[in-house]
Amino acid sequence: MAETTEAKSKTKSAPATDDVFAARLARHHDEFESLFRMLYGDSPELAVFERAMADAYAARPADLKKLDIEREKDPEWYKRGDMFGMTMYTDLFAGDLKKLAGKIDYLKEQKLTYLHLMPLLKMPHPDNDGGYAIEDFDTVDPLLGSNEDLAALTKKLRKAGISLCLDFVMNHTASSHRWAKAAEAGDPEYQDYYFCYDDRTIPDQYDAVVPQVFPNTAPGNFSWNEKMGKWVMTQFYPFQWDLNYRNPKVFTAMMTSVMHLANLGVEVFRLDAVPYIWKQFGTNCRNLPQVHTIVRMMRMMLEIVCPAVVLKGEVVMAPKELAAYFGTPERPECHMLYNVSIMVNLWAALASGDVRLLKRQADKLNALPDNCWFVNYLRCHDDIGWGLDEDEEVRLAIDPLKHKEFLYHFYEGTVPGSWAMGELYNYDEASKDARSCGTAASLCGVEKALITHDKPAYEKAIDRDLLLHRAMAFLRGFPMLNCGDEIGQLNGWDYKEDPDRVADSRNLHRSKFDWKKAAERNTPGTLQNRLWEGMESLREMRDDPCFGPDAWVTTWDTHDDAILGVLRKEGERTIVGLFNFTNADTYAVLDSTADVTLPERVDLKPYEAKIIVAHE
């Protein structure tokens, strides 16, 4: 391997390692080498990678090594019932990393244990897809601060009991990344970091079988680069070049960046678009076996170098594809996944007043092995993509296309009787596909009720908002709020006045945090106070032993398609959550079993959530 490799160590020989590192390496070495050889044959890059791991371990700060040892003794720390998360953009919340560090008291006030910051590594401006086009995987964007600022922030967060999560954008780099610039200048070594072709022969064959990610806003899977005189694979946007993980130098360089960020104090990595990372000619380039090989190797790398760190996969795929991303108990991959399917089904149930699809989805996820864990949420930086279980819809005599059209038009606010205010994202005339944008409060009806001065509608909107959050927080996994939802922040329509943001309707729910509104969280009766106290009730609810990592969780028949019933059992204690998804008084009829004795009837008000203690 040439000394010019991207992942080369500062020294040619591996540093001396202690017994802890040696033992971890020995535990995984044979499997790691076998998987590496499976992908890359006899490439000498394996030795380069092993040296990079030794370098990263040697450079790891002492306090993080101490955390590693603590978490090796408590490997399921992220499954505890007190886990409570939030996701946010650094600049929208505070301005930069230094200022965010000064806002930690606000996070502690909410008893957060997990903070997910949207991409903050060096990016081009303005075209960066919300930070998901990265120029340098090792360096914080200067507009947000420095690596030193990031390390200082993570240290303060750890002291406050908060683990920092960052996105790791595995699938692509910005077109302005130094590798892409070298490829563009004609360097064949760096052209092999991507997928570059002289003519349309191979791209056309890819396009014949590979679905488009953004058929309306970024059609096709390839872009022509005039400077290079080649077609380059760009599955997302033209300024995001797909990486070629068939090249072992790419794997080594990217994993070295992961270890570097872990040494700055990042404790959780959200693997962005991980199903897409391996491209195989003649396939749809989704969920291929090699993807799992790479994630498994990544998991072993972390367990060798920095076992305090966990992986969270972003897998926006059908439910049947999810279990594979956890691996097996013997050969684990991701520690947890975003619970995209439950998020979508919660919003669908609210619009339709029908929980059958939601219940069926929860049943499928609850049936997964114990090593499968989820981060539950209602809103995040992204849109709501209406990927419901079409086979189940057909079984329930629901037309999948008509249902999808109803949902995105409902949350756009154009369906008669809709309370929501939102916008469509990526509407495709040919397929009639579209996604939805908006904050939780605006989609639940708060914004419309305030505009129309409709007090009863306003009360119902708050009830809907709290119902969804309570149902989300009761399900298997741990809850994560979208920053601003704890104070009922509304849509940011001013994005339409910004030429750099107007083309992306997701900016509707990516607006600056309103600190003036947040100041009203302690004023009784305000929207901010009512939602703030509602989120506090979620944390109080989850203090129950039935939210422990070993609790049994299952749905329970309520004999009413408008009411979701979920039972949690830990030891002798059993609790049941009942959630009425309609604007009507109703009641649940609960069946008891030999092991679980429940009240026969429980009355529920419109949009009410009720928690019942069945056994002490």
Side-chain angles (χ1 to χ4, degrees):
M1 184 67 192
E3 269 299 299
T4 56
T5 178
E6 282 292 326
K8 70 178 181 181
S9 302
K10 291 181 179 180
T11 58
K12 291 186 178 181
S13 59
T17 57
D18 62 17
D19 292 341
V20 172
F21 178 81
R24 291 174 186 159
L25 181 62
R27 186 163 60 245
H28 292 295
H29 183 270
D30 289 349
E31 184 189 354
F32 189 94
E33 181 173 355
S34 175
L35 295 177
F36 191 94
R37 298 298 187 201
M38 189 186 303
L39 291 183
Y40 303 122
D42 293 328
S43 169
E45 197 70 19
L46 177 60
V48 178
F49 183 77
E50 289 178 342
R51 189 169 69 233
M53 286 197 293
D55 285 341
Y57 177 80
R60 191 156 172 80
D63 60 332
L64 293 177
K65 285 183 176 179
K66 181 181 178 182
L67 183 63
D68 290 334
I69 292 171
E70 290 172 359
R71 292 215 171 136
E72 283 183 306
K73 296 175 183 177
D74 182 23
E76 294 195 329
W77 61 273
Y78 57 93
K79 291 185 177 182
R80 292 195 297 261
D82 66 352
M83 286 295 290
F84 200 81
M86 176 171 282
T87 180
M88 64 174 62
Y89 280 97
T90 300
D91 57 338
L92 297 179
F93 179 69
D96 59 32
L97 292 174
K98 282 184 178 179
K99 292 175 182 175
L100 194 153
K103 301 288 188 182
I104 289 179
D105 284 347
Y106 179 81
L107 308 180
K108 288 172 63 178
E109 196 177 339
Q110 299 177 76
K111 298 182 176 65
L112 295 186
T113 60
Y114 173 101
L115 177 65
H116 177 192
L117 293 182
M118 289 293 99
L120 49 74
L121 300 179
K122 192 171 186 298
M123 65 190 82
H125 296 279
D127 293 329
N128 56 49
D129 187 27
Y132 288 91
I134 295 178
E135 284 185 344
D136 186 343
F137 288 89
D138 297 318
T139 306
V140 170
D141 190 274
L143 293 181
L144 298 175
S146 66
N147 286 14
E148 291 74 20
D149 295 335
L150 178 59
L153 173 65
T154 61
K155 196 163 190 174
K156 287 185 177 181
L157 288 171
R158 284 196 302 280
K159 187 176 180 181
I162 302 172
S163 298
L164 181 70
C165 171
L166 281 191
D167 288 83
F168 192 71
V169 184
M170 293 189 69
N171 183 69
H172 44 258
T173 74
S175 58
S176 51
H177 191 285
R178 63 185 181 278
W179 302 340
K181 288 297 186 184
E184 196 174 57
D187 188 329
E189 178 178 1
Y190 288 102
Q191 288 180 358
D192 194 39
Y193 276 50
Y194 303 98
F195 296 88
C196 305
Y197 302 99
D198 293 329
D199 58 41
R200 286 290 312 184
T201 303
I202 294 179
D204 284 345
Q205 292 179 61
Y206 267 111
D207 280 345
V209 293
V210 177
Q212 299 179 61
V213 177
F214 300 133
N216 187 41
T217 56
N221 292 299
F222 291 84
S223 300
W224 173 252
N225 184 268
E226 190 66 40
K227 292 181 180 178
M228 185 167 54
K230 292 179 182 289
W231 291 92
V232 60
M233 183 180 284
T234 56
Q235 287 196 87
F236 285 76
Y237 287 102
F239 52 81
Q240 293 166 309
W241 289 19
D242 286 52
L243 284 164
N244 176 17
Y245 278 91
R246 296 182 299 194
N247 182 344
K249 295 180 183 179
V250 169
F251 173 79
T252 301
M254 294 294 283
M255 294 303 102
T256 300
S257 291
V258 170
M259 293 185 283
H260 170 69
L261 292 169
N263 280 355
L264 292 177
V266 177
E267 297 180 38
V268 184
F269 287 99
R270 173 189 177 271
L271 304 184
D272 181 67
V274 66
Y276 298 78
I277 62 175
W278 191 271
K279 279 71 173 178
Q280 188 72 41
F281 195 63
T283 73
N284 68 356
C285 299
R286 306 283 195 274
N287 305 303
L288 298 179
Q290 294 89 340
V291 171
H292 298 288
T293 300
I294 288 175
V295 177
R296 173 62 186 146
M297 289 196 295
M298 192 175 187
R299 173 75 176 254
M300 286 189 284
M301 173 192 77
L302 296 178
E303 291 183 359
I304 293 167
V305 176
C306 47
V309 179
V310 300
L311 298 176
K312 177 176 72 171
E314 186 222 12
V315 183
V316 188
M317 296 288 164
K320 64 182 179 181
E321 305 283 3
L322 299 181
Y325 285 89
F326 292 103
T328 65
E330 298 74 27
R331 290 181 172 83
E333 295 178 25
C334 290
H335 297 76
M336 50 190 171
L337 297 184
Y338 258 155
N339 206 341
V340 179
S341 57
I342 284 292
M343 178 272 293
V344 173
N345 276 277
L346 282 165
W347 287 107
L350 186 66
S352 64
D354 186 339
V355 303
R356 289 178 298 168
L357 286 172
L358 172 59
K359 181 180 184 300
R360 178 61 175 154
Q361 186 63 56
D363 288 339
K364 289 182 177 181
L365 297 183
N366 290 337
L368 292 175
D370 291 341
N371 65 308
C372 302
W373 200 248
F374 293 93
V375 178
N376 298 319
Y377 67 104
L378 292 178
R379 296 298 299 114
C380 65
H381 70 288
D382 224 340
D383 53 86
I384 302 172
W386 299 105
L388 298 170
D389 187 333
E390 294 189 2
D391 291 339
E392 187 65 19
E393 287 179 296
V394 171
R395 191 184 74 80
L396 295 172
I398 299 170
D399 184 297
L401 180 58
K402 289 182 179 178
H403 190 208
K404 180 187 293 187
E405 288 183 287
F406 162 75
L407 290 170
Y408 63 67
H409 285 311
F410 185 94
Y411 285 108
E412 184 188 19
T414 58
V415 171
S418 170
W419 57 71
M421 290 185 70
E423 284 196 308
L424 301 186
Y425 176 67
N426 260 4
Y427 176 75
D428 182 50
E429 178 64 36
S431 65
K432 302 298 182 184
D433 189 40
R435 309 174 188 187
S436 299
C437 299
T439 69
S442 291
L443 295 179
C444 284
V446 173
E447 185 172 0
K448 184 175 182 179
L450 289 172
I451 290 172
T452 57
H453 302 285
D454 188 332
K455 179 65 173 176
Y458 174 76
E459 294 297 324
K460 285 289 191 301
I462 294 175
D463 290 343
R464 289 187 203 103
D465 193 309
L466 293 175
L467 170 79
L468 283 188
H469 278 97
R470 285 169 181 154
M472 174 269 290
F474 202 86
L475 297 170
R476 183 181 179 186
F478 77 83
M480 181 177 72
L481 304 180
N482 192 44
C483 183
D485 285 352
E486 76 280 12
I487 57 168
Q489 191 147 321
L490 305 179
N491 290 332
W493 298 98
D494 58 346
Y495 88 90
K496 293 178 178 294
E497 300 169 11
D498 184 342
D500 292 335
R501 302 171 69 227
V502 67
D504 190 338
S505 58
R506 291 176 298 180
N507 286 313
L508 182 64
H509 52 262
R510 297 175 180 175
S511 55
K512 285 188 177 181
F513 185 74
D514 193 332
W515 283 101
K516 289 184 178 179
K517 293 292 186 183
E520 297 181 32
R521 65 188 182 276
N522 296 317
T523 303
T526 61
L527 170 67
Q528 293 72 30
N529 175 254
R530 292 176 66 180
L531 290 178
W532 184 270
E533 291 191 346
M535 302 310 154
E536 175 62 27
S537 74
L538 302 185
R539 293 185 287 275
E540 292 172 355
M541 174 185 78
R542 291 181 58 84
D543 282 340
D544 194 290
C546 289
F547 287 89
D550 298 324
W552 178 51
V553 185
T554 182
T555 63
W556 207 262
D557 194 3
T558 64
H559 298 280
D560 187 331
D561 290 339
I563 304 173
L564 176 68
V566 181
L567 181 144
R568 283 181 163 272
K569 184 175 177 63
E570 174 65 32
E572 296 299 315
R573 184 172 174 82
T574 303
I575 61 174
V576 179
L578 298 172
F579 308 92
N580 178 13
F581 277 74
T582 63
N583 183 26
D585 291 317
T586 186
Y587 60 90
V589 175
L590 302 178
D591 300 319
S592 296
T593 68
D595 298 322
V596 179
T597 302
L598 299 173
E600 182 177 340
R601 171 174 169 152
V602 179
D603 293 315
L604 293 163
K605 297 175 182 177
Y607 303 117
E608 182 178 11
K610 187 173 285 188
I611 311 301
I612 298 168
V613 178
H615 294 287
E616 292 285 0

